[in-house]
Amino acid sequence: MSGRTQGPGPAGDPAVAPRPSSALSGVVGWEGAVNARRVAGDIFRMGRAEWLTAAGWQQAYDDGVRTIVDLRNPGERSRRPTDPVVPPAALERVTVLNRPTEEPGHPELAANAPYMNHPRFYLDNVRIFPQLIAEVFRTLAHAEGAVVVHCSAGRDRTGLVSMMLLQLAGVPAGQIADAHELGIRGINDWHRISPYRHPVESYISGDELEARVADMRGSLLQVLSQLDVEPFLLRHGLARSDIEALRARMAG
């Protein structure tokens, strides 16, 4: 698998803020992909799949991708007028599986307003929807070919799953936080140039960005100190063979 990479910004855009030097994996250069990186082995992460161009889908296929695991709720899975037009044939060789991490409208989600946009909400998500989270990992363990996991921004739902995967792989907490920081900065970079005006978020820089990164990093490290991923998954239906399949994927 080639795992072609590019500079830190989306679609080759230059970096606008320093990246943590010890973070895992480089940016994946599939045309149109936003916030796309390798998690480990043959598992990748990114923002909305609709941002990929036809050429980007071909590049992902060339890198071995055969499965997309979409963490969004069904109502989020739609095109925007600014998305590239992609012929159906570009998608036919890739299986797209919808595996939401939450149930929209659940009363306990009210505290996560306007949505799960910070690691301080991750433990609630895991606590409220353990079976949904476990199903994501079961799907990843048995997915065909290389697999891409994504949500909307590629930061929080994707960040939660990536964090848990990396803990399973034995990656130190500091390096997991470095990888998560790339996701924060990556989608922020995209907001600077995106043709779509996000209803809640916008590009930030300087001290405001660094304060947000530090706050989110601290929360992520706290989550990692409180969540033991392997026993959690075993309690909620995964077999040890599933865990080992995930580790084997990430070691490849």
Side-chain angles (χ1 to χ4, degrees), residues 47-58:
R48 298 172 65 250
E50 292 84 0
W51 280 321
L52 280 174
T53 66
W57 282 104
Q58 180 62 53

Side-chain angles (χ1 to χ4, degrees), residues 138-167:
R138 185 178 294 107
T139 299
L140 291 173
H142 301 290
E144 178 187 358
V147 58
V148 179
V149 59
H150 80 87
C151 53
S152 181
R155 183 188 62 204
D156 290 298
R157 285 168 290 188
T158 299
L160 168 61
V161 171
S162 298
M163 176 199 77
M164 294 174 71
L165 284 167
L166 292 173
Q167 191 193 85

Side-chain angles (χ1 to χ4, degrees), residues 39-53:
V39 177
D42 69 353
I43 302 178
F44 297 84
R45 59 182 289 179
M46 68 180 184
R48 298 172 65 250
E50 292 84 0
W51 280 321
L52 280 174
T53 66

Side-chain angles (χ1 to χ4, degrees), residues 111-122:
N112 294 5
Y115 46 81
M116 190 177 78
N117 62 358
H118 195 288
R120 64 174 171 264
F121 300 134
Y122 290 5

